[in-house]
Amino acid sequence: MDQSKIGAFLKELRKEKGITQEQMADELGVSGRTISRWETGSNMPDISLLVEIAEFFDVSIPEIIKGERKSENMREEVKEVAETMSDYATVEKKRLIKSMRNLSMNGFLALLIHLVLEETGVYDRNILFRCLYGISETLIYVTVLMFPLYTTGLLSKIRVRSTNPKFNSIPGPVLKVLGFIAAFVIAVVIKILLLKIFG
C-alpha cells in the first residue's frame, strides 16, 4: 500500500470537488491538520472513515486504497463480467426450471396412472397392471425425493466435491440418471419399511 499515492489521490479528489482542507475536515468531522497529514501520506484515514470518504467523493473504497480511479477499460471489464454472470444465472435458472418441469410431469403421470389403476381396481386382475401399479407408486416417491436434489443442487455439489477423478468425469445427464435410480431404490426401501410398520 502506497501511502503517498493514496494521499495524492485524496488531495486530487478534494481539489476536483473545489473545497479546502478545512471544509473537507468539517464534512468528515476531523481536523484540518488530519486532512493535511492524509494528503502528504504521513498518516492514513481511519478505517471507519473510509466509507464516508468514498461516499463523499463518489469513489469506491478499493479506489481509495489503490490511490487511483478504476480505468474506463476496467469498468467495462467489470460490466462485461456482470453481464456474463447474469446470462449464466439465466441459463442455470432455465435449466433448473426445465428439470423441475420434467420431474413434475413424470410425477403427475405416475400419480395419474396410480390413481386410475387404484380406482378401477384393475391392478388386482393382471400381473402386468400390478407391476405398473407398484412402479407408478414408487415413481411418486421418487419424484418427491428428487425435488430436493434438484432445488438444492445437491447432485452438482456431490459431483464438484468428489475427490475421485473417475466420478468427476461422469457427464451431468448420466449423474441425473444415477440420482434417479438412487432415489428409486430409496423409495422402494421406504415403501417396504412403511408396509412392514403399518402393515
Side-chain angles (χ1 to χ4, degrees):
M1 184 170 62
D2 189 338
Q3 288 189 203
S4 300
K5 190 176 179 184
I6 293 169
F9 183 57
L10 290 172
K11 185 175 183 177
E12 179 190 327
L13 291 171
R14 178 179 60 78
K15 287 188 172 182
E16 281 177 11
K17 208 162 182 77
I19 58 172
T20 65
Q21 287 182 344
E22 286 73 24
Q23 289 170 320
M24 181 176 168
D26 289 341
E27 190 67 39
L28 297 172
V30 295
S31 68
R33 190 172 178 188
T34 299
I35 301 296
S36 177
R37 286 179 178 165
W38 291 351
E39 291 184 357
T40 59
S42 61
N43 208 341
M44 294 298 299
D46 190 73
I47 196 163
S48 62
L49 288 172
L50 285 178
V51 173
E52 277 185 70
I53 295 167
E55 287 176 358
F56 182 67
F57 290 121
D58 193 28
V59 293
S60 67
I61 292 174
E63 285 175 313
I64 293 171
I65 292 170
K66 287 184 179 179
E68 62 186 17
R69 290 187 195 275
K70 289 180 182 172
S71 66
E72 281 303 312
N73 187 33
M74 188 180 289
R75 289 177 198 254
E76 282 301 313
E77 286 174 12
V78 169
K79 185 180 173 186
E80 284 177 23
V81 168
E83 287 173 353
T84 303
M85 291 301 291
S86 175
D87 291 344
Y88 179 80
T90 303
V91 169
E92 282 296 298
K93 185 179 175 184
K94 284 180 180 176
R95 185 190 59 77
L96 179 62
I97 289 170
K98 183 180 176 185
S99 296
M100 295 300 290
R101 186 179 62 236
N102 291 342
L103 187 61
S104 299
M105 290 302 293
N106 289 339
F108 177 75
L109 186 61
L111 182 62
L112 188 65
I113 291 169
H114 183 74
L115 287 174
V116 167
L117 291 173
E118 188 171 53
E119 291 301 315
T120 58
V122 294
Y123 70 95
D124 271 340
R125 298 181 196 158
N126 185 313
I127 191 160
L128 178 65
F129 286 131
R130 198 172 304 127
C131 287
L132 190 58
Y133 180 80
I135 290 170
S136 64
E137 186 177 34
T138 306
L139 283 175
I140 295 166
Y141 287 107
V142 169
T143 302
V144 172
L145 290 169
M146 289 296 285
F147 264 100
L149 292 177
Y150 277 108
T151 54
T152 60
L154 189 60
L155 288 175
S156 299
K157 288 177 187 173
I158 291 169
R159 187 176 181 202
V160 169
R161 290 183 183 168
S162 171
T163 54
N164 186 339
K166 290 180 182 176
F167 191 71
N168 282 332
S169 65
I170 298 173
V174 174
L175 193 62
K176 286 177 185 174
V177 170
L178 291 174
F180 190 83
I181 292 168
F184 191 88
V185 170
I186 291 167
V188 169
V189 170
I190 290 170
K191 185 179 172 187
I192 291 168
L193 288 173
L194 289 174
L195 285 173
K196 283 189 176 182
I197 293 169
F198 298 108

